[in-house]
Structures are given as structure tokens and as C-alpha cells.
Amino acid sequence: MRYRPLRHNSEFGRVYARGKAYVDRALVLYVLKTRSKQTRVGLTATKKVGCAVRRNRARRVMKAAIDEHLDYNIGGYHLIFVARAATPNLKSWQVSRAVARLFRAAGLPDRALAPGAPPPASRPPQREGQPPAAQEGAAP
């Protein structure tokens, strides 16, 4: 099941005005608690991010990370994810890690941490023939 989107400018304006912002290097998350029972999500990538190709990539990577971490039964929230200039340059696992940090800061439950959930893509993929410490840039 996918999230329900925020579509109207007035809904975005209400979340920006009344919601709380959580900032990361890759994303900004605005959270507004509502009385409804459904969680609605909006994605924004402004022209500061780059041309249309880069904005679309930023939105695509954000959608994948949100699907990985957002639990749809958390109650009524309006969430807006705003891409920053670094977002299109990041790998999907880096954006997933940023979404997990923002959820933790906002106090939202993370579906990837639930028992029995598949592991998130919040780690770099393992390369063949290299130990994990060498892959992350640590000296052996």
C-alpha cells in the first residue's frame, strides 16, 4: 500500500506554517500531527536541486526510501520531504539512512526496525573480495 499524497498548495502551506522541521544534509522533513487517521506525504524538489532530470531522480530516490521506512498505521500525520541540492548526488542507501535519522529525530516509528522486517538499504552494498571495514574507508 502506498501513502496518500498531499496535492494542494494550501495543504503544503499549512504543514510549512504549523509543522515542525527536521533537517539533514540530504533532506528536510516537515511533520504536522492531524486529527485524521491517514498519513499523507508530499515530496518537493525545487529548481535549486537542478534540472528536471536531477529533480526527478531526487523524488524517485526519496519515494523508495519512504516506502522502506514509513509505517502506514502510525495515525494522522502530514509529512513533507524536501530535497536539498545534495540529494540527487547521493546513493539510494545514503538517502535511506537520512530518512531513518529524520524519523528517529521526529519520533516517528520506523518500519525497517520492526521485528521481522526486511533490512533497509541503509548500508553500502558489500563488494566481493573486500572486508566491510575496507569498504567504508577505514584503515585496516
Side-chain angles (χ1 to χ4, degrees), residues 21-84:
Y22 301 93
V23 180
D24 189 71
R25 181 177 72 95
L27 300 170
V28 178
L29 171 64
Y30 291 90
V31 179
L32 179 66
K33 178 76 172 147
T34 62
R35 293 181 187 172
S36 69
K37 295 182 181 180
Q38 295 177 342
T39 298
R40 299 182 66 198
V41 177
L43 301 175
T44 303
T46 64
K47 287 192 176 182
K48 289 181 184 179
V49 173
C51 64
V53 173
R54 293 173 60 80
R55 292 193 305 267
N56 288 336
R57 184 189 190 302
R59 280 191 290 266
R60 203 169 46 245
V61 171
M62 285 192 301
K63 280 182 192 177
I66 291 166
D67 284 342
E68 209 171 77
H69 292 279
L70 181 63
D71 186 7
Y72 300 104
N73 300 321
I74 61 174
Y77 286 97
H78 285 179
L79 307 174
I80 297 178
F81 290 88
V82 180
R84 300 186 85 179

